[in-house]
């Protein structure tokens, strides 16, 4: 039985955390011995882990006293080295940015991987020096593998680090299709949301962190303003929260869209809202491999998406792909409101997972 080790920051709600929990639960079912190390042993996804998975905590000291902080962190490192050095067949830093996760993964086995969830050249707005600094900070060259969840991320990295080309692997995220389908059957508790379906107007759904730099939800809000001015009837549901929730709420109020755009907050189980919605909408400036793509595919829901990583999978009969601007979002929403969209290419998540697992096994 192979022993696998994954290090990350915590298991709170998020795309990366969703991908990790899906991955380790799947591998645990296949007989792998899994250990997860968390810098903070917290997050709603802790309860979703298989009981066979071991969870350990690695505390990082953030004391303002520099000398004390360094002494404490050195002590923690030495403890980790003594207990875990090369004790695993494979190890991964799943929180790409985390120095602690990088250290743990490189220590826990000689077969280590840095897991990367974005196209970092797009993330840093084309600044190659900033991308170099980011990856050198987490000592990327010392990993045996550098895994990207999208081909865009892979290609950008190789452009900047051609000398590391042989280390780089593209491996999409796994998806637990059965679990998503089962959870989508749960009831929606909010009576006002249940009533929306009776209005028989299109419902758009966005699920994700409220971070304007990346998610650009103002594009959806401003597009909605234009659609309402044309007296078109529709609703938008925002599931999630974050640093820019208040910004979005104020913008909705400014445009008098309180009856059109509804903020539902975080949902540990968003899938019943997928079922009641008519179209999933993604307005992001950049993504790694969007987990919401797979969730939409599994639940047979069409998507409107900007041109982020792997958008070709949506173009292939599963939705509309648009440019990264308000006008394009507006035009696609209007097209959907007036004409709808029929998914022409059903998604086989079992075949998809089989292909991902083949790649994973070569890494392990």
């Amino acid at each position: 039985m192979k022993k696998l080790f994954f290090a990350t920051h915590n298991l709170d709600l998020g795309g990366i955390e969703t991908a990790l929990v899906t991955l380790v639960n799947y591998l645990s079912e296949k007989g792998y011995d899994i250990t997860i190390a968390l810098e903070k042993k917290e997050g709603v996804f802790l309860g979703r882990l298989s009981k066979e998975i071991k969870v350990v905590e690695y505390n990082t000291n953030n004391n303002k006293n520099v000398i004390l902080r360094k002494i404490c962190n050195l002590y923690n490192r030495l403890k980790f080295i003594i207990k875990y050095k090369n004790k695993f067949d494979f190890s991964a830093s799943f929180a790409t940015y985390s120095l602690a996760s990088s250290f743990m993964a490189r220590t826990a086995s000689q077969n280590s991987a840095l897991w990367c969830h974005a196209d970092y050249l797009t993330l840093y707005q084309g600044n190659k020096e900033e991308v170099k600094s980011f990856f050198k900070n987490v000592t990327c060259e010392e990993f045996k593998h550098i895994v990207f969840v999208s081909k865009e991320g892979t290609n950008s990295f190789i452009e900047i680090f051609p000398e590391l080309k042989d280390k780089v692997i593209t491996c999409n995220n796994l998806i637990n299709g059965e679990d998503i389908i089962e959870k989508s059957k749960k009831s929606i508790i909010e009576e006002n949301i249940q009533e929306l379906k009776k209005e028989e107007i299109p419902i758009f759904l966005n699920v994700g962190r409220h971070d304007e730099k990346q998610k650009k939800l103002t594009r959806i809000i401003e597009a909605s303003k234009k659609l309402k001015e044309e007296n078109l009837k529709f609703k938008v549901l925002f599931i999630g929260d974050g640093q820019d929730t208040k910004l979005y709420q104020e913008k909705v109020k400014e445009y008098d869209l309180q009856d059109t755009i509804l903020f539902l907050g975080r949902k540990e189980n968003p899938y019943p809202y997928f079922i009641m919605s008519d179209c999933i909408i993604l307005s992001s400036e950049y993504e790694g491999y969007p987990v919401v793509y797979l969730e939409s595919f599994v639940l047979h829901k069409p998507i409107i998406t900007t041109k982020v990583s792997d958008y070709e999978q949506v173009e292939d009969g599963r939705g509309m792909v648009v440019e990264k601007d308000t006008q394009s979002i507006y035009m696609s929403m209007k097209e959907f409101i007036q004409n709808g969209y029929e998914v022409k290419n059903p998604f086989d998540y079992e075949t998809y997972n089989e292909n991902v697992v083949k790649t994973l096994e070569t890494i392990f």
Side-chain angles (χ1 to χ4, degrees):
M1 181 189 296
K2 285 189 180 294
K3 298 177 66 177
L4 312 181
F5 177 94
F6 294 86
T8 192
H9 183 66
N10 63 25
L11 287 179
D12 208 352
L13 283 173
I16 292 174
E17 292 76 18
T18 300
L20 176 58
V21 171
T22 301
L23 173 61
V24 295
N25 282 344
Y26 183 94
L27 295 172
S28 180
E29 287 180 8
K30 296 298 181 183
Y32 288 96
D33 183 340
I34 310 289
T35 298
I36 292 183
L38 303 174
E39 292 178 60
K40 292 184 177 180
K41 195 174 180 180
E42 62 184 22
V44 296
F45 284 153
L46 275 171
R48 288 197 191 178
L49 289 175
S50 168
K51 293 180 180 179
E52 287 74 28
I53 295 172
K54 294 179 282 293
V55 180
V56 299
E57 190 169 23
Y58 180 89
N59 296 118
T60 302
N61 189 286
N62 295 309
N63 196 296
K64 292 182 179 180
N65 185 310
V66 176
I67 296 175
L68 181 60
R69 182 174 71 238
K70 287 185 175 181
I71 291 172
C72 290
N73 284 329
L74 177 59
Y75 175 72
N76 289 336
R77 283 185 169 229
L78 290 173
K79 275 202 312 181
F80 187 88
I81 290 169
I82 292 169
K83 189 169 184 178
Y84 293 113
K85 185 172 177 61
N86 295 334
K87 298 294 185 183
F88 295 86
D89 299 296
F90 169 82
S91 55
S93 172
F94 217 78
T96 323
Y97 57 86
S98 169
L99 299 183
S101 292
S102 172
F103 159 73
M104 286 188 282
R106 289 182 288 108
T107 301
S109 84
Q110 294 180 339
N111 184 24
S112 61
L114 178 65
W115 227 270
C116 306
H117 307 274
D119 173 355
Y120 290 87
L121 192 56
T122 301
L123 175 62
Y124 285 104
Q125 300 177 318
N127 190 319
K128 293 184 179 181
E129 291 306 312
E130 287 191 8
V131 178
K132 285 182 180 180
S133 177
F134 173 84
F135 279 104
K136 287 181 179 179
N137 195 42
V138 293
T139 327
C140 70
E141 69 279 1
E142 293 188 12
F143 286 89
K144 184 175 180 180
H145 313 285
I146 302 171
V147 181
F148 281 86
V149 299
S150 72
K151 62 180 182 297
E152 283 83 0
T154 296
N155 294 338
S156 292
F157 183 85
I158 291 173
E159 179 184 338
I160 297 170
F161 294 97
E163 70 278 10
L164 299 179
K165 180 179 179 180
D166 292 341
K167 290 177 178 276
V168 182
I169 299 170
T170 304
C171 183
N172 290 148
N173 293 317
L174 281 168
I175 191 73
N176 190 335
E178 291 180 5
D179 186 59
I180 288 173
I181 292 169
E182 190 60 33
K183 287 178 176 175
S184 73
K185 298 174 183 177
K186 302 291 185 182
S187 298
I188 291 173
I189 59 173
E190 300 99 329
E191 290 184 12
N192 63 319
I193 304 302
Q194 293 175 12
E195 295 295 315
L196 290 182
K197 266 301 181 184
K198 296 179 181 178
E199 298 183 31
E200 296 184 347
I201 59 175
I203 299 173
F204 297 93
L205 173 68
N206 175 274
V207 181
R209 187 179 68 257
H210 290 180
D211 175 0
E212 178 62 11
K213 180 181 178 183
Q214 178 183 0
K215 303 298 183 179
K216 297 291 183 184
L217 297 190
T218 51
R219 291 170 176 164
I220 299 175
I221 296 170
E222 289 165 0
S224 297
K225 175 176 179 288
K226 297 180 70 172
L227 293 166
K228 187 177 180 181
E229 288 170 351
E230 296 179 14
N231 294 316
L232 292 169
K233 305 298 183 184
F234 65 99
K235 299 286 186 183
V236 178
L237 306 181
F238 282 165
I239 288 181
D241 60 15
Q243 63 191 33
D244 290 319
T245 299
K246 188 174 181 181
L247 166 71
Y248 297 143
Q249 291 172 334
E250 290 174 349
K251 186 72 69 174
V252 165
K253 186 176 181 180
E254 176 188 346
Y255 292 158
D256 193 25
L257 294 170
Q258 297 96 318
D259 292 333
T260 301
I261 298 178
L262 306 178
F263 293 85
L264 305 186
R266 290 189 179 197
K267 299 291 179 186
E268 188 174 347
N269 177 16
Y271 304 122
Y273 301 87
F274 277 72
I275 295 300
M276 74 163 296
S277 299
D278 299 290
C279 180
I280 313 306
I281 186 164
L282 191 74
S283 55
S284 300
E285 186 68 18
Y286 57 88
E287 292 282 347
Y289 182 91
V291 175
V292 74
Y293 280 3
L294 298 176
E295 295 167 332
S296 303
F297 296 163
V298 167
L299 296 174
H300 206 65
K301 290 293 177 177
I303 312 173
I304 293 172
T305 181
T306 46
K307 289 183 176 179
V308 294
S309 297
D310 292 82
Y311 67 83
E312 297 89 353
Q313 294 184 15
V314 175
E315 273 185 326
D316 190 18
R318 298 186 180 117
M320 293 181 259
V321 178
V322 303
E323 299 299 327
K324 298 174 183 177
D325 57 65
T326 297
Q327 180 67 13
S328 298
I329 294 285
Y330 153 74
M331 291 297 294
S332 62
M333 290 177 72
K334 184 175 182 178
E335 169 69 19
F336 188 89
I337 292 167
Q338 294 178 333
N339 301 309
Y341 184 94
E342 182 180 352
V343 174
K344 307 173 189 68
N345 185 10
F347 179 68
D348 182 348
Y349 65 83
E350 292 180 346
T351 300
Y352 168 87
N353 277 346
E354 287 172 5
N355 292 327
V356 173
V357 169
K358 287 177 184 177
T359 303
L360 289 170
E361 288 174 345
T362 64
I363 300 171
F364 298 158

